[in-house]
Amino acid sequence: MTGLPPLSSTRSERVRQVTALGRRAARDRQGRFLVEGPQAVRELLGYAAGAAEVLYVTPAALDRHADLVEQAVRLGVAVRECTADVLGVMAGTEHPQGLLAVARRVDVPLERALAAVGEQGFVVVLAHVRDPGNAGTVLRAADAFGAAAVVVSAASVDVYNPKVVRSTAGSLFHLPVSVGTPVQEVLQACRARGIRLLAADGSGQTRLPDVDLTGPHAWVMGNEAWGLPPDVLAGCDAAVSVPIRRAESLNLAMAATVCLHASSVATGAV
Amino acid sequence: MTGLPPLSSTRSERVRQVTALGRRAARDRQGRFLVEGPQAVRELLGYAAGAAEVLYVTPAALDRHADLVEQAVRLGVAVRECTADVLGVMAGTEHPQGLLAVARRVDVPLERALAAVGEQGFVVVLAHVRDPGNAGTVLRAADAFGAAAVVVSAASVDVYNPKVVRSTAGSLFHLPVSVGTPVQEVLQACRARGIRLLAADGSGQTRLPDVDLTGPHAWVMGNEAWGLPPDVLAGCDAAVSVPIRRAESLNLAMAATVCLHASSVATGAV
């Protein structure tokens, strides 16, 4: 591919630097993250190719995913062959799928995310969500149902955590995502733009079918275990619950899926 | 509690028999399964106490969950103290929570599950679903949104798999669940009762908002990776898709959550 021999030492400085991206501190310091496997790499190249720096590929994957490798080369992404051992160490997963990209962060400033809401859109605000799978699923639902953007507050899970990246199934690259702003500042910025704040809350007094979901609005979703902090709830325009047969039978990802689907239908986003 | 010393040998015949319930073959042979942790045990005692045979409890959990232990005793469930080591071996989880019940199967015959649908209800049919987390979440959604019953076809994941039991968060005990019938027989039994068959299918020609969800109906959900087999799809009255912005952005659990919520709203089930 590049005329260089495949990377084969698991102890080289380069491998060490890539491997370090499995940890949040190194991701924050380097401003980079890992994108693992053919599906995620395909979405990265298709939607955020400018962020892709290097694509590491095993000999087997070079055969199997020749289309992706060719696309990467065409887009000016450096492609580097490496042994399956090296890729396994760098990816830090049990069954790496032979393709691993290093990409620069793709998040956007808060104001740009909120500007995408416009006159008709809706946005998702994750406040103190900690579980990677839940965060990933909510991002995926936001993407599926046509949300304008996702805002992940400070003190939430890192969206560049490999588990989040994997569970978004590419959605991380499909819509503007903003990270790192304290939740109260996010709410304030929404208010300043006339974005109505709807707290998703299992014990909310307003039932989902009774909420007017036309016009710009934000769904504020809290932590999977303890919900939204009282000061966040108090700062929202309504606390909205999904009517269910029994208490506590919806988890965060399920509630988010239902609420975002309702917004999608009401706003004609899809 | 019982006057007997706590079970302390991880190698006793009793411990061996309970531990074996982590495997499907032993569950099928014994007709029993494991219910682990305070949340699941609470739902078992609250909704299906007749199925509970023995509750194993560590000294710490005996203090911490005295209410559950007391309830079990009152309901005639044998309570047996055991060491944390023994409980850990029997539960087969990394972080057991000190409470483990052995229960008899709770599934009902297919005809009883379908009878619960009545004139207005809806039922969920899982056809060849293999992932425990997905099956558990669909059961949870069925419960939350007031489905009359869940039918898990032959060649699907075992609903008594500890991962399924855990991810249903108790829903397994809240509504009638039938297992083990080949999917075509399930479809035939639905037809015989006038239950309309709706296939949940990402490429379905009918869009969810266009489906009439009043009257008795069944949501037929397929395998997470390859969907519904052609003969099952062909046997349904409609193939229904959830409108989304991009293909493949909803997983099985998310699609099921949206479809069952729609049925809940249309039938007034909640």
Side-chain angles (χ1 to χ4, degrees):
Chain A
M1 202 78 227
T2 54
L4 297 169
L7 298 173
S8 60
S9 165
T10 56
R11 289 188 283 181
S12 72
E13 174 59 20
R14 177 199 283 253
V15 171
R16 205 191 54 73
Q17 281 200 7
V18 174
T19 306
L21 295 175
R23 298 188 301 275
R24 183 168 193 164
R27 290 193 295 273
D28 286 349
R29 198 169 52 237
Q30 294 189 35
R32 295 187 176 90
F33 68 107
L34 299 173
V35 179
E36 198 260 322
Q39 188 199 17
V41 167
R42 178 170 289 115
E43 302 301 310
L44 170 68
L45 296 177
Y47 291 87
E53 288 192 338
V54 188
L55 177 62
Y56 295 98
V57 57
T58 62
L62 198 54
D63 279 351
R64 194 165 175 181
H65 302 290
D67 58 325
L68 283 176
V69 173
E70 193 192 310
Q71 188 184 358
V73 171
R74 223 170 37 233
L75 290 164
V77 178
V79 175
R80 192 73 166 85
E81 204 175 337
C82 61
T83 63
D85 275 359
V86 166
L87 196 106
V89 168
M90 293 195 302
T93 54
E94 251 180 89
H95 304 289
Q97 299 169 278
L99 288 169
L100 179 74
V102 173
R104 281 185 303 279
R105 302 167 61 114
V106 294
D107 53 281
V108 303
L110 178 64
E111 285 304 321
R112 203 172 120 201
L114 296 185
V117 176
E119 300 300 314
Q120 286 298 331
F122 60 99
V123 61
V124 183
V125 177
L126 293 184
H128 306 193
V129 168
R130 298 280 167 82
D131 179 72
N134 275 332
T137 303
V138 175
L139 262 154
R140 199 167 162 174
D143 180 27
F145 295 127
V150 175
V151 177
V152 181
S153 79
S156 295
V157 66
D158 182 13
V159 295
Y160 301 114
N161 177 318
K163 286 184 192 163
V164 178
V165 175
R166 196 174 313 126
S167 65
T168 69
S171 293
L172 180 58
F173 309 121
H174 294 164
L175 76 175
V177 176
S178 176
V179 304
T181 310
V183 61
Q184 287 292 4
E185 287 178 40
V186 176
L187 301 190
Q188 189 47 47
C190 287
R191 282 185 212 109
R193 285 182 173 272
I195 298 172
R196 207 151 31 107
L197 296 167
L198 305 175
D201 174 18
S203 52
Q205 290 297 306
T206 308
R207 290 160 49 100
L208 179 62
D210 302 330
V211 184
D212 177 9
L213 294 173
T214 60
H217 60 280
W219 280 107
V220 185
M221 317 259 176
N223 178 275
E224 33 279 285
W226 61 81
L228 287 166
D231 63 318
V232 173
L233 255 182
C236 290
D237 298 300
V240 181
S241 59
V242 177
I244 50 177
R245 182 156 59 175
R246 276 182 203 85
E248 300 195 29
S249 50
L250 288 187
N251 64 23
L252 168 64
M254 295 164 78
T257 299
V258 169
C259 292
L260 298 178
H261 176 255
S263 289
S264 170
V265 172
T267 63
V270 169
Chain B
M1 203 78 227
T2 54
L4 297 168
L7 297 172
S8 59
S9 166
T10 57
R11 290 188 281 181
S12 72
E13 174 59 20
R14 177 199 283 253
V15 171
R16 205 192 56 71
Q17 282 201 6
V18 174
T19 306
L21 295 175
R23 298 188 301 275
R24 183 168 193 163
R27 290 193 294 272
D28 286 349
R29 197 167 54 237
Q30 295 189 34
R32 296 188 175 88
F33 69 108
L34 299 173
V35 178
E36 198 261 319
Q39 189 199 15
V41 167
R42 179 169 289 116
E43 303 301 310
L44 169 67
L45 296 177
Y47 290 87
E53 287 192 338
V54 188
L55 177 62
Y56 295 99
V57 56
T58 61
L62 198 54
D63 277 351
R64 194 164 175 182
H65 303 289
D67 57 326
L68 283 176
V69 174
E70 193 192 310
Q71 190 184 357
V73 171
R74 222 170 37 230
L75 290 164
V77 179
V79 175
R80 192 72 166 85
E81 204 175 335
C82 63
T83 64
D85 275 0
V86 166
L87 196 107
V89 167
M90 294 195 302
T93 56
E94 250 180 89
H95 303 289
Q97 298 169 277
L99 288 169
L100 180 75
V102 172
R104 282 186 302 280
R105 303 166 60 113
V106 293
D107 53 281
V108 304
L110 177 64
E111 285 305 322
R112 202 172 120 203
L114 296 185
V117 175
E119 299 301 314
Q120 287 297 332
F122 60 100
V123 61
V124 182
V125 177
L126 293 184
H128 306 195
V129 168
R130 298 283 166 82
D131 179 73
N134 275 331
T137 303
V138 175
L139 262 155
R140 199 167 162 174
D143 180 27
F145 296 128
V150 174
V151 177
V152 181
S153 79
S156 294
V157 66
D158 182 13
V159 296
Y160 301 115
N161 177 317
K163 286 183 193 164
V164 178
V165 175
R166 197 174 312 126
S167 66
T168 69
S171 292
L172 179 58
F173 310 120
H174 294 163
L175 76 176
V177 176
S178 176
V179 305
T181 310
V183 62
Q184 287 292 3
E185 287 178 41
V186 176
L187 301 190
Q188 189 47 48
C190 287
R191 281 185 213 107
R193 286 182 173 271
I195 298 173
R196 206 153 30 106
L197 296 167
L198 304 175
D201 175 17
S203 53
Q205 291 296 305
T206 307
R207 291 161 48 100
L208 179 62
D210 302 331
V211 185
D212 176 9
L213 294 172
T214 59
H217 60 280
W219 280 107
V220 186
M221 317 259 173
N223 180 275
E224 32 281 283
W226 61 81
L228 288 165
D231 63 318
V232 173
L233 256 182
C236 289
D237 298 300
V240 181
S241 59
V242 177
I244 50 177
R245 182 154 62 175
R246 276 182 202 84
E248 301 195 30
S249 49
L250 288 188
N251 62 23
L252 168 64
M254 294 164 79
T257 299
V258 169
C259 292
L260 298 179
H261 176 255
S263 288
S264 170
V265 172
T267 62
V270 169

